[in-house]
Amino acid sequence: MKRWIADIFTFAGLALAQVAPWGLGVERGKAVLVFTSNCTDAAAAPQVKARVVLVLPEGRRCQVGGAEVFQDTGGLWRATFYVDREPRVVVLKEGQQIVTTTKPLTLDLANAVNQVLQDDQRYAPRFALKIRPGDRLAGDLAGYTGLVVFWKEGCPWCEKERDDLARLCRELPVLLVSNTPGKPDLPECAHRGGWQLYHDWGIPIAPTHVWIEEGVVKWIDVGHRPKAYKVITDLWERRSVRR
């Protein structure tokens, strides 16, 4: 990463390279998300050489030239990208977070964003996922609604989610995919063993969470998810409202 760009952005390494949820059409190509409640934080949107989406909290409204506006109803997008302060600018390629910063989108930042967008060698997607939000699954998961969790017994980050996962398995459909030989733990969950689904979906690490509705991938979360119970039950409730 060029030094001056490194001073501006946090690079999305293994623990940070989250995947945009389904619903905004940023699963492919390049895009820039601006999480804010203050629309002046995206003042330089027209200078960015990619699609810019202003992600507003539920109930907030405004217009910014050069940017689309999206209402983050329920806060799923903020939860996905761990937005705990605003503004937050996230650069996406192929739906994956590449870099992020908590600076507003000024002209100087727009120029830096364009450097990241143009350099596909240095700033490439972190994961070689074989599924994306919006993909329709085949086989026995073609009509599935619920969570698929890629898990490994003894994995310290998996263990941090044990209580949340056990609770989720008692309340909604969860398929636990483990590549660990032997009898799996978490008896509350449905299980599938072996490496095949890891390979077929290009899953990079455990834990990884995939939310599916009627066989369509809606949300992919790579790595440990703090407050996993709340995020996933919100997905379940939002699905019930849509029905």
Side-chain angles (χ1 to χ4, degrees):
M1 183 179 290
K2 295 179 180 179
R3 182 53 185 263
W4 69 279
I5 293 181
D7 291 340
I8 297 173
F9 293 112
T10 299
F11 181 68
L14 192 63
L16 294 174
Q18 291 305 322
V19 180
W22 173 247
L24 193 48
V26 295
E27 299 80 22
R28 287 171 172 77
K30 302 174 182 180
V32 177
L33 307 178
V34 182
F35 292 89
T36 186
S37 300
N38 182 354
C39 297
T40 61
D41 287 332
Q47 308 306 316
V48 175
K49 298 177 180 178
R51 182 182 175 196
V52 178
V53 181
L54 197 63
V55 185
L56 301 176
E58 186 173 358
R60 183 78 168 90
R61 304 193 190 288
C62 68
Q63 291 183 338
V64 175
E68 301 172 36
V69 175
F70 175 74
Q71 292 275 328
D72 187 17
T73 304
L76 175 63
W77 288 73
R78 280 169 167 72
T80 296
F81 292 103
Y82 298 102
V83 177
D84 55 2
R85 56 180 292 194
E86 296 179 350
R88 174 70 64 88
V89 176
V90 177
V91 178
L92 300 175
K93 292 184 179 181
E94 300 303 314
Q96 293 187 35
Q97 177 178 322
I98 305 298
V99 294
T100 184
T101 182
T102 54
K103 300 178 184 297
L105 188 58
T106 61
L107 181 58
D108 286 344
L109 182 60
N111 291 333
V113 165
N114 288 334
Q115 290 288 325
V116 173
L117 290 167
Q118 292 167 9
D119 190 341
D120 291 332
Q121 183 174 2
R122 187 177 282 109
Y123 308 113
R126 182 67 177 81
F127 307 128
L129 290 167
K130 298 178 183 177
I131 59 168
R132 304 187 200 195
D135 286 356
R136 182 170 292 280
L137 302 175
D140 60 344
L141 294 175
Y144 180 73
T145 293
L147 182 68
V148 177
V149 181
F150 291 84
W151 172 271
K152 185 175 182 180
E153 294 173 39
C155 154
W157 292 109
C158 298
E159 291 297 326
K160 288 179 180 292
E161 298 183 4
R162 174 180 292 277
D163 292 344
D164 274 354
L165 191 54
R167 187 178 176 188
L168 286 167
C169 289
R170 291 192 292 267
E171 297 179 9
L172 54 88
V174 178
L175 176 62
L176 191 72
V177 181
S178 174
N179 60 10
T180 306
K183 184 178 179 180
D185 55 7
L186 284 166
E188 300 93 341
C189 305
H191 292 85
R192 178 177 295 186
W195 284 97
Q196 191 61 49
L197 206 56
Y198 270 87
H199 172 76
D200 291 347
W201 290 5
I203 300 301
I205 60 173
T208 289
H209 316 84
V210 181
W211 179 257
I212 300 166
E213 293 182 15
E214 297 181 352
V216 177
V217 177
K218 297 289 186 175
W219 182 70
I220 301 173
D221 186 64
V222 178
H224 169 56
R225 167 58 60 175
K227 301 180 180 177
Y229 177 83
K230 181 182 186 310
V231 175
I232 292 161
T233 52
D234 283 350
L235 283 165
W236 178 254
E237 290 168 4
R238 283 159 56 92
R239 162 247 171 215
S240 300
V241 169
R242 286 194 295 270
R243 289 171 65 89

